[in-house]
């Protein structure tokens, strides 16, 4: 299975496990992640959720070939089910990030409660370079975290950034050596076993209360434009270049 789930000591672990494809996420994987988060939400024995990838790779983002064959067609599509499940998860979500976290690999972190990254981690949101637009409310949340001009650098230009920068930007809590990231994140997740679950849930709601409606609206607005751009000539050129392993040529577009 490309998505592995397990419950151990009160922690529901959701592991992206497709290293042969750099943990690129398919539609079926999105569905599995959405189902896993819903199961964690419903399981009274689960006190926290831990999202992790493989050693040295969190995720390279969408599997573009799969994504183009089966593009999201509405709010019931697996990718949006995953977004809704993560954004709506009432239990604390901890992320452990090593290696590359590209596209959704970065934007999903915006909806986790505690994020720990490796010193060699590389994050990026290269949507524009693919002829697309940001997703998962990143066009709203990133400017809120770092300001408009810094957000433009990371989203418009798609500039990659390090784990240290992720902490400075308010996306991550701490940078650790690669070998320590997953164990540390698990220890943090297990700390919720000693805390009252109702108080944790209510506090998480309060922490997210101010932006909850705006986040949902941003997800929906981005999704509508994202779907349109998937079939745009610019996106076709970007994807063709990716598969042909060449630089895209956008000079023909105005």
């Amino acid at each position: 299975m490309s998505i592995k789930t397990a419950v151990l000591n009160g922690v529901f672990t959701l592991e992206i496990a497709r290293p042969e494809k750099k943990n690129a996420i398919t539609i079926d994987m999105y569905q599995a992640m959405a189902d896993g988060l819903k199961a964690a939400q419903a399981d009274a024995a689960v006190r926290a959720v831990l999202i992790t990838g493989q050693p040295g790779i969190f995720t390279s983002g969408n599997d573009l070939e799969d994504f183009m064959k089966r593009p999201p067609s509405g709010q019931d599509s697996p990718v949006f089910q995953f977004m809704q499940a993560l954004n709506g998860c009432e239990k604390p979500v901890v992320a452990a990030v090593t290696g590359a976290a590209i596209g959704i690999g970065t934007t999903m972190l915006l909806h986790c409660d505690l994020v720990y990254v490796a010193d060699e981690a590389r994050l990026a949101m290269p949507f524009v370079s693919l002829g697309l637009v940001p997703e998962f409310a990143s066009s709203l949340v990133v400017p809120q975290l770092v300001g408009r001009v810094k957000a433009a650098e990371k989203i418009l230009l798609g500039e990659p950034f390090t784990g240290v920068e992720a902490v400075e930007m308010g996306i991550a809590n701490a940078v650790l050596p690669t070998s320590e990231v997953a164990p540390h994140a698990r220890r943090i997740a297990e700390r919720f076993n000693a805390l009252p679950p109702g108080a944790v849930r209510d506090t998480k709601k309060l922490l997210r209360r101010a932006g909850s409606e705006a986040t949902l609206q941003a997800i929906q607005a981005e999704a509508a434009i994202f779907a349109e751009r998937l079939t745009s000539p610019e996106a076709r050129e970007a994807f063709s270049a990716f598969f042909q392993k060449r630089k895209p040529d956008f000079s023909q577009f105005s």
Side-chain angles (χ1 to χ4, degrees):
M1 292 294 292
S2 297
I3 298 297
K4 297 180 180 179
T5 61
V7 178
L8 178 64
N9 194 24
V11 176
F12 181 96
T13 300
L14 192 159
E15 179 184 353
I16 307 171
R18 197 189 181 204
E20 72 281 3
K21 292 292 186 179
K22 298 183 179 179
N23 278 3
I25 302 175
T26 64
I27 298 301
D28 292 338
M29 291 167 68
Y30 275 120
Q31 187 66 63
M33 291 193 293
D35 292 343
L37 288 169
K38 293 173 186 176
Q41 176 75 13
D43 189 345
V46 171
R47 296 298 184 93
V49 174
L50 174 62
I51 300 178
T52 185
Q54 298 295 290
I57 179 70
F58 187 62
T59 173
S60 57
N62 289 321
D63 182 310
L64 293 182
E65 185 174 1
D66 180 76
F67 208 65
M68 291 306 296
K69 288 179 179 177
R70 299 185 290 172
S73 56
Q75 295 299 313
D76 291 333
S77 297
V79 60
F80 297 120
Q81 288 189 45
F82 166 66
M83 290 181 182
Q84 292 161 4
L86 179 55
N87 181 58
C89 185
E90 296 180 354
K91 298 178 181 182
V93 180
V94 183
V97 180
T98 62
I102 309 301
I104 191 80
T106 292
T107 60
M108 77 167 73
L109 304 179
L110 305 174
H111 304 276
C112 297
D113 301 292
L114 297 158
V115 178
Y116 300 94
V117 295
D119 48 14
E120 46 77 60
R122 292 294 180 271
L123 299 84
M125 295 174 281
F127 303 109
V128 171
S129 64
L130 291 170
L132 304 173
V133 295
E135 34 85 307
F136 215 165
S138 54
S139 64
L140 170 72
V141 179
V142 176
Q144 289 176 338
L145 289 174
V146 304
R148 180 180 56 81
V149 294
K150 189 71 171 179
E153 179 181 84
K154 301 307 181 187
I155 295 179
L156 274 176
L157 295 177
E159 288 193 356
F161 52 100
T162 65
V164 171
E165 287 182 277
V167 173
E168 293 172 348
M169 292 167 65
I171 293 174
N173 294 82
V175 178
L176 299 162
T178 299
S179 62
E180 296 179 18
V181 173
H184 179 78
R186 174 163 289 281
R187 287 194 296 271
I188 293 296
E190 289 178 349
R191 286 177 61 178
F192 288 100
N193 288 318
L195 295 173
V200 169
R201 287 193 301 272
D202 287 345
T203 300
K204 176 170 177 172
K205 289 179 184 177
L206 289 169
L207 285 170
R208 293 172 174 261
R209 176 188 53 180
S212 59
E213 186 60 34
T215 297
L216 289 174
Q217 291 176 356
I219 291 173
Q220 293 170 357
E222 290 169 347
I225 301 174
F226 195 101
E228 292 178 0
R229 296 229 39 100
L230 270 175
T231 58
S232 70
E234 291 176 349
R236 285 199 295 269
E237 166 59 19
F239 294 150
S240 294
F242 176 83
F243 293 126
Q244 295 169 14
K245 298 182 179 179
R246 60 174 175 83
K247 288 185 178 181
D249 178 12
F250 299 120
S251 63
Q252 59 187 301
F253 305 112
S254 60

